[in-house]
Amino acid sequence: MMAGKTMLITAAAGSGIGGALAQRAAEEGATLMLSDMHERRLGETADRIAATGLPRPETFACDVTQEEQVRALVAAAIDRLGHVDVLVNNAGLGGNAPVVEMTDDQWFRVIDVTLNSVFRMTRAILPHMYERQAGAIVNNASVLGWRAQKLQSHYAAAKAGVMAFTRCSALEAADHGVRINAVAPSFAMHPALSKVTPPGLLEELVGKEAFGRAAEPWEIANVMLFLASDLSSYMTGEVLSVSSQQA
């Protein structure tokens, strides 16, 4: 599916969606650069992919809330990969807080990691893609951009922003042969999720899923790969829900 394509993935370390996407993209033939602010876990993810017999991805530690680091990441990806066919904006930060107790720091931190990083990375990569008159960007949004959930006003606002940014930037990029789409997962189960989720909430969310379980990270990654590939060549500005949630 991705043979001959180069791909840059943010927040690619660990066992979540980013790590699963890196594995699946490598299996489908993509040449990868993985980025994350957690350098040790980033290396472990690259080593894990290499241990399956696939080429070891390039890695680059980056905090996507820092403009200078974002610019350095994009420059390194172009230099090491030759060019970047696909950017996947996967970075995001959640949290739980009622509006009346939420601090400015909580609000701005979630917005900065989850929404502003998508803007920064997209702004940095588009001149390169425009010059080549080709490319695809896939953003990781969330069903909470559409649906309501208590204690999630900052995260939901950020993800709704990702959706709106996807639609608007896609119209600009289409003039240059570049596609921009997003996925909106309900939730994918991985070890880190249980550490930041209040007791009982995961069970409640699973109860809303038609299949009676959370998605596996690779199930979200497969849809991201579809949007990154030429199979979705006529799609831009779209947000695909990856969810079995009942209405």
Side-chain angles (χ1 to χ4, degrees):
M1 182 186 278
M2 299 300 295
K5 299 283 189 181
T6 59
M7 180 183 290
L8 170 59
I9 309 172
T10 67
S15 59
I17 293 171
L21 176 61
Q23 179 69 43
R24 288 290 297 115
E27 291 170 352
E28 293 293 337
T31 302
L32 300 174
M33 174 173 278
L34 310 182
S35 176
D36 202 285
M37 65 183 300
H38 301 287
E39 192 166 5
R40 177 185 58 79
R41 286 194 293 158
L42 182 61
E44 290 172 351
T45 299
D47 290 342
R48 185 168 66 246
I49 291 171
T52 67
L54 295 165
R56 189 182 191 278
E58 296 282 344
T59 61
F60 194 95
C62 176
D63 179 350
V64 289
T65 68
Q66 302 300 313
E67 175 66 14
E68 289 186 1
Q69 293 189 39
V70 165
R71 294 286 176 178
L73 168 61
V74 170
I78 295 170
D79 178 61
R80 297 187 197 176
L81 301 178
H83 64 273
V84 177
D85 291 309
V86 180
L87 165 66
V88 179
N89 286 312
N90 181 60
L93 177 69
N96 298 277
V99 172
V100 295
E101 297 176 9
M102 189 180 298
T103 66
D104 282 2
D105 285 345
Q106 286 176 301
W107 173 269
F108 287 122
R109 179 63 177 164
V110 168
I111 296 295
D112 203 17
V113 174
T114 307
L115 174 59
N116 294 348
S117 72
V118 174
F119 160 64
R120 289 189 193 97
M121 288 296 302
T122 301
R123 179 176 61 182
I125 201 71
L126 278 181
H128 170 69
M129 291 183 170
Y130 284 1
E131 183 178 2
R132 300 185 67 246
Q133 290 289 295
I137 297 174
V138 182
N139 299 324
N140 193 354
S142 168
V143 293
L144 288 185
W146 291 309
R147 302 171 182 170
Q149 186 175 309
K150 292 179 179 179
L151 310 180
Q152 294 291 307
S153 58
H154 47 357
Y155 185 73
K159 290 300 190 180
V162 170
M163 293 178 175
F165 179 78
T166 297
R167 290 190 290 266
C168 294
S169 60
L171 293 181
E172 299 177 22
D175 294 336
H176 303 274
V178 177
R179 300 184 300 109
I180 304 178
N181 293 289
V183 296
S186 49
F187 74 107
M189 189 62 71
H190 54 90
L193 188 62
S194 61
K195 297 178 182 179
V196 297
T197 305
L201 179 57
L202 289 180
E203 291 77 9
E204 177 186 340
L205 294 174
V206 166
K208 295 179 179 179
E209 297 289 325
F211 293 129
R213 65 173 178 85
E216 297 291 338
W218 61 265
E219 292 177 301
I220 311 301
N222 282 344
V223 181
M224 288 177 150
L225 277 181
F226 166 70
L227 292 176
S229 77
D230 293 338
L231 293 176
S232 59
S233 58
Y234 193 66
M235 294 178 64
T236 198
E238 295 295 331
V239 180
L240 294 186
S241 176
V242 189
S243 168
S244 72
Q245 280 194 337
Q246 304 171 52

